[in-house]
Amino acid sequence: MSEVVSSTADEMLEHLHARLDTHFSGMRDERALLEVAAPVFALEHELSAEDLDLLIATVRTAVSEGLGSRHRQWWLPFVVYAAEAGYDYVGDEYWRSFEQRTPAGALNTAP
């Protein structure tokens, strides 16, 4: 994704959303052909470590900038971010871990 490194958070969210949408839609379509359709999970994003780091940084930047309603159209990067946070937590402390890895005020931002 080096071609979009210098983009704004909004541009990156849009790019990441489009890329994830294409990926997840393809997986959904392939799995729909199975005898028993299988679900698609957000952790199946298949992003490289570098691209996942970029997604995490982009989501954190968007949240720190105020996470306005304009971000709602690019929701897939946020779903992947939350799924990755859930993959790392232990026990019953998901929200505490999520808040620690997300910029201050993220959970208190008005829609």
Side-chain angles (χ1 to χ4, degrees), residues 1-8 11-12 15-16 54:
M1 273 202 255
S2 59
E3 71 277 3
V4 291
V5 169
S6 64
S7 300
T8 67
E11 291 169 336
M12 277 307 306
H15 173 78
L16 288 164
L54 181 60

Side-chain angles (χ1 to χ4, degrees), residues 8-10 13 55-67 71 103:
T8 67
D10 287 357
L13 286 172
L55 179 141
I56 290 168
T58 301
V59 167
R60 288 178 178 167
T61 298
V63 170
S64 71
E65 290 176 353
L67 190 60
H71 297 107

Side-chain angles (χ1 to χ4, degrees):
M1 273 202 255
S2 59
E3 71 277 3
V4 291
V5 169
S6 64
S7 300
T8 67
D10 287 357
E11 291 169 336
M12 277 307 306
L13 286 172
E14 183 176 12
H15 173 78
L16 288 164
H17 181 88
R19 179 175 172 188
L20 291 166
D21 183 55
T22 299
H23 172 70
F24 289 134
S25 294
M27 289 179 71
R28 179 204 58 219
D29 294 346
E30 288 175 12
R31 291 178 184 183
L33 300 174
L34 299 173
E35 188 172 321
V36 176
V40 175
F41 298 95
L43 284 173
E44 296 179 282
H45 52 73
E46 296 185 8
L47 295 174
S48 68
E50 180 181 278
D51 288 346
L52 182 58
D53 287 345
L54 181 60
L55 179 141
I56 290 168
T58 301
V59 167
R60 288 178 178 167
T61 298
V63 170
S64 71
E65 290 176 353
L67 190 60
S69 60
R70 72 183 190 276
H71 297 107
R72 290 183 184 168
Q73 60 189 320
W74 307 305
W75 53 273
L76 278 171
F78 296 95
V79 170
V80 169
Y81 179 90
E84 286 289 335
Y87 188 73
D88 290 337
Y89 91 100
V90 178
D92 62 351
E93 50 80 44
Y94 174 81
W95 287 113
R96 186 172 46 247
S97 294
F98 185 89
E99 190 170 25
Q100 288 172 351
R101 69 185 270 158
T102 308
L107 302 178
N108 299 319
T109 303

